[in-house]
Amino acid sequence: MAASRYRRFLRLCEEWPMEETKRQRDLGAFLRQRVAQAFREGENTPIADPEACDQMYESLVRIHTNFYKNKYPRLKDTTFTGVTVEDCRMILATDILKQMEDMKKGTWKRLREKFSAKKPEEDLK
């Protein structure tokens, strides 16, 4: 029975899209990593709690298929601020967040990083 659960999770991982704009914060990549950890031995992995495993799979399928989005359709595709889904995706992209983080740095810190020979990560050690 573990083999069929493993195959179902693998199929879900294959179908789950990867978002290139969210490097190191992508739900699809995290899901693949967790499935690899949970099923270390592949189809031969013993499952301690099959009911919890099945419940987790069903929950992920509902997220993947937009079950609740389809069950409870929204009247508008914007938030209360008027921001669209595409605007939110653009704002939450890793590159944009990095730029915003750089903008928050003070002038002295930016100058120090610019003219420093060592990387800022080495400063923290």
Side-chain angles (χ1 to χ4, degrees), residues 57-73:
Y57 174 78
E58 293 301 325
S59 296
L60 288 169
V61 166
R62 282 193 298 271
I63 292 171
H64 176 62
T65 59
N66 291 322
F67 177 80
Y68 292 104
K69 180 183 176 188
N70 297 331
K71 185 175 180 178
Y72 304 105

Side-chain angles (χ1 to χ4, degrees), residues 69-70 72 75 88 92 116:
K69 180 183 176 188
N70 297 331
Y72 304 105
L75 299 176
C88 286
L92 292 175
S116 176

Side-chain angles (χ1 to χ4, degrees), residues 85-113:
V85 174
E86 286 305 314
D87 291 340
C88 286
R89 279 197 182 114
M90 184 186 74
I91 291 168
L92 292 175
T94 303
D95 296 335
I96 301 296
L97 290 175
K98 178 75 173 143
Q99 288 175 2
M100 290 172 65
E101 187 178 301
D102 289 342
M103 287 172 45
K104 288 182 184 177
K105 291 181 184 176
T107 307
W108 177 249
K109 189 168 184 169
R110 274 186 277 168
L111 285 172
R112 196 174 92 198
E113 286 178 0

Side-chain angles (χ1 to χ4, degrees), residues 1 11 49 51 54 65-66 73 124-125:
M1 202 60 168
R11 195 171 334 128
D49 191 0
E51 290 177 12
D54 292 340
T65 59
N66 291 322
L124 299 174
K125 292 181 182 177

